[in-house]
Amino acid sequence: MKPLKLSTIILLLITTFSCTKNVDFDQVDAVEITPSYLITLVYFELYAPDFLDSVNTEVPLQLDIVKAPLKDVPQKHLEKVEFTIQTTNVFNRNFNAQIVFFDVNQNPIYELDPIVIPANSNELITIIEIPTEDLHYIFETEFFAFFLELRPSDDGSVILPGDDSYVEFKSSVELFLRYKTI
Amino acid sequence: MRTFILIIIVLFSLKSFAQNKQVLYNFAGLPQTLMLNPGAEVENKFYIGFPLFSQVSLHGGFSGFSAYDVFADDGIDINTKIDDVVNKFGKSEFFELTQQLEVISAGFGLNKTTYVSFGYYQESNALVKTPRDLIDLAYEGNTDVNRNYAISKLTARAELLGVYHVGISKKITDKWQVGGRFKLYSGVLNASSKGNKGALVTNKGVDNLYQQELENVDVLIQTSGIVLDDYDNVEPSDYIKKLFFSGNYGVGVDLGFTYHFKKQWTLSGSAQDIGFIYYTKDVESYTVKGDFKVDGFNLGFDLENPEDYWNDLKDRFEEDVVVDTLNTNYISTRPMKLNGAIDYSFGKEYDDCRFETRPGKYSNKVGVQLFSAVGSVHSYVAATLFYERWFSKHFQAKVSYTADAYSFSNLGAGISTQFGPFNLYLLADNLLYLNNLYNTKSTSIQVGINFIFYNK
């Protein structure tokens, strides 16, 4: 067989058998990637003396402030924010906890649903979700304030310095993202 | 975003085991075989490669999945198919692109036993080895508590360089041919990251629900010619000039031999690119080192002495995890390639009067080849079975079947034609995927034209 003829046959075979099966690159428009990220959040453990002032008078409301530059969170792709809160309350009195978000002008712009921490409750899990329509408040937040209120007792009793009761608060947030091509 | 995802998926859909030129190795006495084994036997009087086209070599791909795996028009939701390919992702997969272009190539027989070849070629290559952990971290997130998302297998290399070379192949006995090639590298661009350590882990916490940790992170990224003070005045011609004289120079050698240990049996082997480049121009390197644990913000409820939780956390992070920028020169070793082959030749050609048409020559050759790329970023081994046929002085062909850690079905083929001094060769592999090119997980091709002159 002459070499030219043979090489022609080989090239013909290659071009004859080289083909493509149906692919549809437009499917990329339907790609959705949905990772979620856990971030550890605030925690504390407060004992009875923490609710007393210097003359042992009960101070039922505790407040702390955390600057929160949340503008770095990928806003466009954030679909849901879910807080997980675990509380333990050894006091025989209820607590109310609430997180309020403030903007740069120190105006309150959003409040998470208040959390009731029942008296004598052990490792209670509460999940709070920020609805999609409220997510924009996250990005307008400059700082958030954490309020913890010791509710009055039914019998009017107050806590004493020697009381060894405590309230424990642990939390995390899960950010649900959804990346779409269009 | 659409274009970005499309490009990423298509790029990652090509699969290659680059730099293994298993079809070219020892094929048809082509001058380019001297680039794989400087101790190869060539029989021409002299040759000149067609400028810029004596060898165009391309490899590219990804060891994870094919374009067809993701984009097949099969009625299955693309997100389901992406789930499938992510689930099948190995502990680490690699993406690689390699390109070589011979600008000048020539050689001549100095005497009956010595052959000299020389030239200049340009090479670019990039390799990214991605650990499964990072893919899962990006695709699913970090909700798998107690799992170490390790970065230790994250390595990458990218470079653009020009290579001047001169080699000599010498027949020292009837059985032995040895050779060497000296190379002068001119490195234009380089980036590499290797030997990285560390992990991101979210553990069940004690003080809080979770404790998150950057665990013993030690990352080094070295660059040269990439981070510039002024990008506005950079022209493509600047890079072309640097391909010849960059200021980042290095040296290397190729060594090889051919040994006819028995009649019809030949053993050959080579080591390519035993060398390094010393990068001194526009060098910028980055290190990240440290260990950082965070439980969250421990609220103190003391507004008289308010704590700046966020900035305290930032300060502690910057103290524990040191990010540094360095401008110290560095050495980058070249990825070394090892070739070895044993072959058996048989079948002589006779004319009508039963005289040998090529005295002492055989028309068929079968054998086994081994290839190994040994690099600081990535290493792998490949084994090849081959059959080579000399049809006539005008036409030779070779088929190969290669297996490596990633594929056991790589069928390659090559042809070399010669008419007068005009020589054209075309080599390619992964021909089994010709029936559906989108399913190709390996792509490799070498093509070139030479003008080869033989002794009458």
Side-chain angles (χ1 to χ4, degrees), chain A residues 120-168:
Chain A
N120 302 309
S121 58
N122 198 21
E123 290 198 357
L124 195 67
I125 298 282
T126 307
I127 291 176
I128 301 173
E129 183 183 322
I130 298 183
T132 309
E133 62 270 21
D134 291 343
L135 286 177
H136 64 96
Y137 291 119
I138 294 271
F139 307 105
E140 295 162 20
T141 297
E142 188 67 16
F143 65 92
F144 63 83
F146 193 100
F147 295 93
L148 183 70
E149 183 189 12
L150 175 64
R151 301 297 296 158
S153 61
D154 293 337
D155 58 3
S157 62
V158 293
I159 54 176
L160 300 170
D163 190 344
D164 59 358
S165 300
Y166 66 90
V167 60
E168 188 181 74

Short mmCIF file of all heavy atoms in Angstrom, two decimals, chain A residues 120-168:
data_model
loop_
_atom_site.label_atom_id
_atom_site.label_comp_id
_atom_site.label_asym_id
_atom_site.label_seq_id
_atom_site.Cartn_x
_atom_site.Cartn_y
_atom_site.Cartn_z
N ASN A 120 -35.23 27.03 85.41
CA ASN A 120 -34.82 25.63 85.61
C ASN A 120 -34.89 24.80 84.31
O ASN A 120 -35.40 23.69 84.31
CB ASN A 120 -35.67 24.97 86.70
CG ASN A 120 -35.56 25.71 88.01
OD1 ASN A 120 -34.47 25.99 88.47
ND2 ASN A 120 -36.70 26.09 88.59
N SER A 121 -34.40 25.37 83.22
CA SER A 121 -34.43 24.64 81.93
C SER A 121 -33.02 24.20 81.58
O SER A 121 -32.04 24.91 81.84
CB SER A 121 -35.00 25.54 80.83
OG SER A 121 -34.24 26.71 80.72
N ASN A 122 -32.94 23.02 80.98
CA ASN A 122 -31.64 22.42 80.70
C ASN A 122 -31.42 22.31 79.20
O ASN A 122 -32.22 21.70 78.49
CB ASN A 122 -31.58 21.04 81.36
CG ASN A 122 -30.16 20.55 81.48
OD1 ASN A 122 -29.23 21.34 81.44
ND2 ASN A 122 -30.01 19.25 81.63
N GLU A 123 -30.37 22.90 78.69
CA GLU A 123 -29.96 22.81 77.27
C GLU A 123 -31.13 22.87 76.31
O GLU A 123 -31.45 21.91 75.61
CB GLU A 123 -29.14 21.52 77.05
CG GLU A 123 -27.78 21.60 77.72
CD GLU A 123 -26.79 20.59 77.20
OE1 GLU A 123 -27.15 19.77 76.34
OE2 GLU A 123 -25.63 20.63 77.64
N LEU A 124 -31.76 23.99 76.29
CA LEU A 124 -32.90 24.23 75.42
C LEU A 124 -32.39 24.83 74.10
O LEU A 124 -31.63 25.80 74.11
CB LEU A 124 -33.85 25.21 76.11
CG LEU A 124 -35.25 25.35 75.57
CD1 LEU A 124 -36.04 24.05 75.79
CD2 LEU A 124 -35.96 26.50 76.30
N ILE A 125 -32.79 24.22 72.99
CA ILE A 125 -32.33 24.73 71.68
C ILE A 125 -33.44 25.58 71.05
O ILE A 125 -34.59 25.15 70.97
CB ILE A 125 -32.00 23.56 70.73
CG1 ILE A 125 -30.85 22.72 71.27
CG2 ILE A 125 -31.69 24.07 69.32
CD1 ILE A 125 -29.48 23.29 71.09
N THR A 126 -33.07 26.77 70.61
CA THR A 126 -34.00 27.64 69.90
C THR A 126 -33.38 28.00 68.55
O THR A 126 -32.19 28.33 68.49
CB THR A 126 -34.25 28.94 70.69
OG1 THR A 126 -34.64 28.60 72.02
CG2 THR A 126 -35.32 29.80 70.04
N ILE A 127 -34.19 27.89 67.51
CA ILE A 127 -33.70 28.26 66.18
C ILE A 127 -34.50 29.46 65.68
O ILE A 127 -35.73 29.45 65.70
CB ILE A 127 -33.81 27.07 65.21
CG1 ILE A 127 -32.80 26.00 65.64
CG2 ILE A 127 -33.53 27.51 63.77
CD1 ILE A 127 -32.84 24.73 64.84
N ILE A 128 -33.78 30.47 65.28
CA ILE A 128 -34.43 31.69 64.78
C ILE A 128 -33.93 31.94 63.36
O ILE A 128 -32.72 31.95 63.12
CB ILE A 128 -34.10 32.91 65.65
CG1 ILE A 128 -34.56 32.67 67.09
CG2 ILE A 128 -34.76 34.17 65.08
CD1 ILE A 128 -34.12 33.77 68.05
N GLU A 129 -34.85 32.15 62.47
CA GLU A 129 -34.48 32.38 61.07
C GLU A 129 -34.80 33.81 60.68
O GLU A 129 -35.86 34.33 61.04
CB GLU A 129 -35.26 31.40 60.18
CG GLU A 129 -34.90 31.49 58.73
CD GLU A 129 -35.76 30.56 57.87
OE1 GLU A 129 -36.04 29.43 58.34
OE2 GLU A 129 -36.16 30.96 56.77
N ILE A 130 -33.93 34.43 60.00
CA ILE A 130 -34.23 35.75 59.44
C ILE A 130 -34.83 35.52 58.05
O ILE A 130 -34.17 34.94 57.18
CB ILE A 130 -32.98 36.64 59.32
CG1 ILE A 130 -32.39 36.89 60.71
CG2 ILE A 130 -33.31 37.96 58.66
CD1 ILE A 130 -31.19 37.83 60.72
N PRO A 131 -36.07 35.95 57.87
CA PRO A 131 -36.69 35.70 56.56
C PRO A 131 -35.96 36.43 55.44
O PRO A 131 -35.32 37.46 55.67
CB PRO A 131 -38.12 36.25 56.71
CG PRO A 131 -38.27 36.63 58.14
CD PRO A 131 -36.93 36.68 58.77
N THR A 132 -36.07 35.88 54.25
CA THR A 132 -35.34 36.43 53.09
C THR A 132 -35.60 37.93 52.93
O THR A 132 -34.68 38.70 52.65
CB THR A 132 -35.78 35.68 51.81
OG1 THR A 132 -35.66 34.29 52.05
CG2 THR A 132 -34.92 36.08 50.63
N GLU A 133 -36.87 38.32 53.13
CA GLU A 133 -37.21 39.73 52.88
C GLU A 133 -36.57 40.68 53.91
O GLU A 133 -36.54 41.89 53.70
CB GLU A 133 -38.74 39.92 52.84
CG GLU A 133 -39.46 39.57 54.14
CD GLU A 133 -39.90 38.11 54.20
OE1 GLU A 133 -39.32 37.30 53.45
OE2 GLU A 133 -40.81 37.79 54.99
N ASP A 134 -36.10 40.10 55.02
CA ASP A 134 -35.48 40.96 56.05
C ASP A 134 -33.95 40.93 56.00
O ASP A 134 -33.30 41.62 56.81
CB ASP A 134 -35.93 40.50 57.45
CG ASP A 134 -37.41 40.78 57.69
OD1 ASP A 134 -37.99 41.60 56.94
OD2 ASP A 134 -37.98 40.18 58.61
N LEU A 135 -33.42 40.15 55.07
CA LEU A 135 -31.96 39.98 55.08
C LEU A 135 -31.20 41.28 54.85
O LEU A 135 -30.07 41.43 55.30
CB LEU A 135 -31.54 38.95 54.01
CG LEU A 135 -31.85 37.50 54.34
CD1 LEU A 135 -31.45 36.59 53.18
CD2 LEU A 135 -31.10 37.07 55.60
N HIS A 136 -31.84 42.21 54.17
CA HIS A 136 -31.12 43.45 53.86
C HIS A 136 -30.72 44.19 55.13
O HIS A 136 -29.75 44.96 55.15
CB HIS A 136 -31.97 44.34 52.94
CG HIS A 136 -33.24 44.82 53.56
ND1 HIS A 136 -33.35 46.04 54.17
CD2 HIS A 136 -34.45 44.21 53.69
CE1 HIS A 136 -34.58 46.19 54.62
NE2 HIS A 136 -35.27 45.09 54.35
N TYR A 137 -31.45 43.95 56.23
CA TYR A 137 -31.10 44.63 57.49
C TYR A 137 -29.71 44.21 57.97
O TYR A 137 -29.00 44.97 58.62
CB TYR A 137 -32.13 44.31 58.57
CG TYR A 137 -33.49 44.93 58.30
CD1 TYR A 137 -34.61 44.12 58.14
CD2 TYR A 137 -33.64 46.30 58.22
CE1 TYR A 137 -35.85 44.68 57.88
CE2 TYR A 137 -34.88 46.87 57.96
CZ TYR A 137 -35.99 46.05 57.80
OH TYR A 137 -37.21 46.59 57.54
N ILE A 138 -29.37 42.97 57.67
CA ILE A 138 -28.06 42.45 58.07
C ILE A 138 -26.95 43.36 57.55
O ILE A 138 -26.00 43.68 58.25
CB ILE A 138 -27.84 41.02 57.50
CG1 ILE A 138 -28.81 40.06 58.14
CG2 ILE A 138 -26.40 40.57 57.63
CD1 ILE A 138 -28.32 39.41 59.39
N PHE A 139 -27.14 43.77 56.31
CA PHE A 139 -26.06 44.52 55.66
C PHE A 139 -26.08 46.00 56.02
O PHE A 139 -25.15 46.73 55.72
CB PHE A 139 -26.14 44.33 54.14
CG PHE A 139 -26.17 42.88 53.77
CD1 PHE A 139 -27.36 42.27 53.36
CD2 PHE A 139 -25.03 42.11 53.88
CE1 PHE A 139 -27.39 40.93 53.07
CE2 PHE A 139 -25.06 40.77 53.58
CZ PHE A 139 -26.24 40.16 53.18
N GLU A 140 -27.17 46.41 56.66
CA GLU A 140 -27.23 47.80 57.11
C GLU A 140 -26.78 47.91 58.57
O GLU A 140 -26.74 49.00 59.13
CB GLU A 140 -28.67 48.33 56.97
CG GLU A 140 -29.14 48.38 55.51
CD GLU A 140 -30.66 48.47 55.40
OE1 GLU A 140 -31.31 48.87 56.37
OE2 GLU A 140 -31.18 48.12 54.33
N THR A 141 -26.46 46.77 59.16
CA THR A 141 -26.13 46.74 60.58
C THR A 141 -24.71 47.21 60.85
O THR A 141 -23.77 46.78 60.19
CB THR A 141 -26.32 45.31 61.13
OG1 THR A 141 -27.68 44.95 60.99
CG2 THR A 141 -25.91 45.24 62.60
N GLU A 142 -24.59 48.11 61.80
CA GLU A 142 -23.27 48.57 62.23
C GLU A 142 -22.86 47.85 63.53
O GLU A 142 -21.70 47.52 63.72
CB GLU A 142 -23.30 50.08 62.46
CG GLU A 142 -21.95 50.70 62.72
CD GLU A 142 -21.02 50.66 61.51
OE1 GLU A 142 -21.51 50.43 60.38
OE2 GLU A 142 -19.79 50.81 61.70
N PHE A 143 -23.86 47.65 64.40
CA PHE A 143 -23.59 46.88 65.62
C PHE A 143 -24.90 46.28 66.09
O PHE A 143 -25.99 46.69 65.68
CB PHE A 143 -22.98 47.77 66.71
CG PHE A 143 -23.87 48.86 67.21
CD1 PHE A 143 -24.70 48.68 68.31
CD2 PHE A 143 -23.87 50.12 66.58
CE1 PHE A 143 -25.52 49.69 68.78
CE2 PHE A 143 -24.69 51.13 67.04
CZ PHE A 143 -25.52 50.93 68.14
N PHE A 144 -24.80 45.25 66.92
CA PHE A 144 -26.03 44.74 67.53
C PHE A 144 -25.89 44.74 69.04
O PHE A 144 -24.79 44.69 69.59
CB PHE A 144 -26.42 43.36 66.98
CG PHE A 144 -25.44 42.25 67.23
CD1 PHE A 144 -25.44 41.57 68.45
CD2 PHE A 144 -24.55 41.86 66.25
CE1 PHE A 144 -24.56 40.54 68.68
CE2 PHE A 144 -23.65 40.83 66.48
CZ PHE A 144 -23.65 40.17 67.69
N ALA A 145 -27.03 44.89 69.68
CA ALA A 145 -27.07 44.93 71.14
C ALA A 145 -27.74 43.66 71.64
O ALA A 145 -28.74 43.20 71.07
CB ALA A 145 -27.83 46.16 71.61
N PHE A 146 -27.17 43.13 72.69
CA PHE A 146 -27.71 41.90 73.27
C PHE A 146 -28.32 42.27 74.62
O PHE A 146 -27.64 42.76 75.52
CB PHE A 146 -26.59 40.88 73.46
CG PHE A 146 -27.10 39.51 73.75
CD1 PHE A 146 -27.16 38.54 72.76
CD2 PHE A 146 -27.53 39.18 75.03
CE1 PHE A 146 -27.66 37.28 73.04
CE2 PHE A 146 -28.03 37.92 75.31
CZ PHE A 146 -28.10 36.97 74.32
N PHE A 147 -29.62 42.06 74.75
CA PHE A 147 -30.34 42.36 75.98
C PHE A 147 -30.67 41.05 76.69
O PHE A 147 -31.19 40.12 76.07
CB PHE A 147 -31.65 43.09 75.68
CG PHE A 147 -31.45 44.44 75.06
CD1 PHE A 147 -31.44 44.60 73.68
CD2 PHE A 147 -31.28 45.57 75.86
CE1 PHE A 147 -31.26 45.85 73.10
CE2 PHE A 147 -31.10 46.83 75.29
CZ PHE A 147 -31.08 46.97 73.91
N LEU A 148 -30.40 41.02 77.97
CA LEU A 148 -30.78 39.86 78.79
C LEU A 148 -31.52 40.39 80.02
O LEU A 148 -30.98 41.18 80.81
CB LEU A 148 -29.54 39.08 79.22
CG LEU A 148 -29.84 37.81 80.02
CD1 LEU A 148 -30.47 36.74 79.12
CD2 LEU A 148 -28.57 37.27 80.66
N GLU A 149 -32.76 39.96 80.14
CA GLU A 149 -33.59 40.49 81.22
C GLU A 149 -33.99 39.35 82.16
O GLU A 149 -34.56 38.34 81.73
CB GLU A 149 -34.85 41.14 80.65
CG GLU A 149 -35.71 41.76 81.70
CD GLU A 149 -37.08 42.22 81.16
OE1 GLU A 149 -37.41 41.82 80.01
OE2 GLU A 149 -37.79 42.92 81.88
N LEU A 150 -33.68 39.55 83.43
CA LEU A 150 -34.10 38.60 84.45
C LEU A 150 -35.53 38.96 84.84
O LEU A 150 -35.79 40.07 85.34
CB LEU A 150 -33.16 38.70 85.66
CG LEU A 150 -33.49 37.86 86.88
CD1 LEU A 150 -33.41 36.37 86.57
CD2 LEU A 150 -32.52 38.20 88.01
N ARG A 151 -36.47 38.06 84.60
CA ARG A 151 -37.88 38.35 84.87
C ARG A 151 -38.14 38.26 86.37
O ARG A 151 -37.48 37.49 87.09
CB ARG A 151 -38.77 37.34 84.12
CG ARG A 151 -38.58 37.34 82.60
CD ARG A 151 -38.97 38.67 81.99
NE ARG A 151 -40.40 38.93 82.18
CZ ARG A 151 -40.97 40.14 82.16
NH1 ARG A 151 -40.22 41.21 81.98
NH2 ARG A 151 -42.27 40.27 82.33
N PRO A 152 -39.11 39.05 86.85
CA PRO A 152 -39.43 39.02 88.29
C PRO A 152 -39.93 37.64 88.70
O PRO A 152 -40.54 36.92 87.92
CB PRO A 152 -40.53 40.06 88.43
CG PRO A 152 -40.52 40.86 87.17
CD PRO A 152 -39.94 40.01 86.11
N SER A 153 -39.66 37.33 89.97
CA SER A 153 -40.14 36.04 90.48
C SER A 153 -41.63 36.15 90.82
O SER A 153 -42.16 37.25 91.01
CB SER A 153 -39.35 35.64 91.72
OG SER A 153 -39.52 36.63 92.73
N ASP A 154 -42.27 35.00 90.85
CA ASP A 154 -43.71 34.99 91.15
C ASP A 154 -43.98 35.44 92.60
O ASP A 154 -44.98 36.08 92.89
CB ASP A 154 -44.28 33.58 90.95
CG ASP A 154 -44.24 33.19 89.48
OD1 ASP A 154 -44.21 34.11 88.63
OD2 ASP A 154 -44.22 31.98 89.19
N ASP A 155 -43.05 35.10 93.50
CA ASP A 155 -43.30 35.39 94.91
C ASP A 155 -42.58 36.65 95.38
O ASP A 155 -42.54 36.94 96.57
CB ASP A 155 -42.88 34.19 95.77
CG ASP A 155 -41.41 33.86 95.57
OD1 ASP A 155 -40.72 34.60 94.80
OD2 ASP A 155 -40.93 32.88 96.15
N GLY A 156 -42.00 37.38 94.44
CA GLY A 156 -41.35 38.64 94.80
C GLY A 156 -39.96 38.48 95.38
O GLY A 156 -39.31 39.48 95.74
N SER A 157 -39.46 37.28 95.44
CA SER A 157 -38.12 37.07 95.99
C SER A 157 -37.06 37.59 95.01
O SER A 157 -37.30 37.67 93.80
CB SER A 157 -37.89 35.58 96.28
OG SER A 157 -37.98 34.86 95.09
N VAL A 158 -35.93 37.94 95.55
CA VAL A 158 -34.82 38.44 94.72
C VAL A 158 -33.62 37.51 94.91
O VAL A 158 -33.56 36.74 95.86
CB VAL A 158 -34.44 39.88 95.09
CG1 VAL A 158 -35.57 40.85 94.74
CG2 VAL A 158 -34.06 39.97 96.55
N ILE A 159 -32.69 37.64 94.01
CA ILE A 159 -31.50 36.78 94.12
C ILE A 159 -30.56 37.33 95.19
O ILE A 159 -30.53 38.54 95.45
CB ILE A 159 -30.75 36.64 92.77
CG1 ILE A 159 -30.41 38.01 92.21
CG2 ILE A 159 -31.52 35.82 91.79
CD1 ILE A 159 -29.60 37.95 90.97
N LEU A 160 -29.82 36.42 95.78
CA LEU A 160 -28.92 36.77 96.88
C LEU A 160 -27.48 36.53 96.45
O LEU A 160 -27.20 35.71 95.56
CB LEU A 160 -29.26 35.91 98.10
CG LEU A 160 -30.68 36.09 98.63
CD1 LEU A 160 -31.01 35.03 99.67
CD2 LEU A 160 -30.86 37.49 99.21
N PRO A 161 -26.52 37.22 97.06
CA PRO A 161 -25.11 37.08 96.65
C PRO A 161 -24.61 35.65 96.73
O PRO A 161 -23.78 35.23 95.93
CB PRO A 161 -24.36 37.99 97.64
CG PRO A 161 -25.39 38.94 98.15
CD PRO A 161 -26.69 38.25 98.12
N GLY A 162 -25.11 34.89 97.63
CA GLY A 162 -24.60 33.53 97.79
C GLY A 162 -25.27 32.52 96.87
O GLY A 162 -24.90 31.32 96.86
N ASP A 163 -26.22 32.97 96.08
CA ASP A 163 -26.93 32.08 95.16
C ASP A 163 -25.96 31.55 94.10
O ASP A 163 -25.22 32.32 93.48
CB ASP A 163 -28.06 32.88 94.50
CG ASP A 163 -29.01 32.00 93.72
OD1 ASP A 163 -28.65 30.84 93.42
OD2 ASP A 163 -30.12 32.47 93.40
N ASP A 164 -25.92 30.24 93.88
CA ASP A 164 -24.98 29.70 92.87
C ASP A 164 -25.66 29.37 91.54
O ASP A 164 -25.15 28.61 90.72
CB ASP A 164 -24.24 28.47 93.41
CG ASP A 164 -25.20 27.36 93.80
OD1 ASP A 164 -26.43 27.58 93.67
OD2 ASP A 164 -24.71 26.29 94.22
N SER A 165 -26.83 29.94 91.31
CA SER A 165 -27.52 29.73 90.03
C SER A 165 -26.75 30.43 88.90
O SER A 165 -26.02 31.40 89.12
CB SER A 165 -28.95 30.30 90.10
OG SER A 165 -29.68 29.67 91.12
N TYR A 166 -26.97 29.93 87.73
CA TYR A 166 -26.34 30.56 86.56
C TYR A 166 -27.23 30.39 85.34
O TYR A 166 -28.11 29.51 85.29
CB TYR A 166 -24.95 29.98 86.30
CG TYR A 166 -24.95 28.52 85.89
CD1 TYR A 166 -25.02 28.15 84.55
CD2 TYR A 166 -24.90 27.52 86.85
CE1 TYR A 166 -25.02 26.83 84.18
CE2 TYR A 166 -24.91 26.18 86.48
CZ TYR A 166 -24.97 25.85 85.13
OH TYR A 166 -25.00 24.53 84.77
N VAL A 167 -27.00 31.25 84.39
CA VAL A 167 -27.67 31.12 83.08
C VAL A 167 -26.56 31.07 82.02
O VAL A 167 -25.59 31.83 82.08
CB VAL A 167 -28.66 32.29 82.82
CG1 VAL A 167 -27.96 33.64 82.84
CG2 VAL A 167 -29.40 32.09 81.50
N GLU A 168 -26.72 30.12 81.12
CA GLU A 168 -25.69 29.90 80.09
C GLU A 168 -26.32 30.09 78.71
O GLU A 168 -27.44 29.62 78.47
CB GLU A 168 -25.15 28.47 80.24
CG GLU A 168 -23.96 28.15 79.39
CD GLU A 168 -23.54 26.70 79.61
OE1 GLU A 168 -24.25 25.79 79.11
OE2 GLU A 168 -22.54 26.47 80.30
#
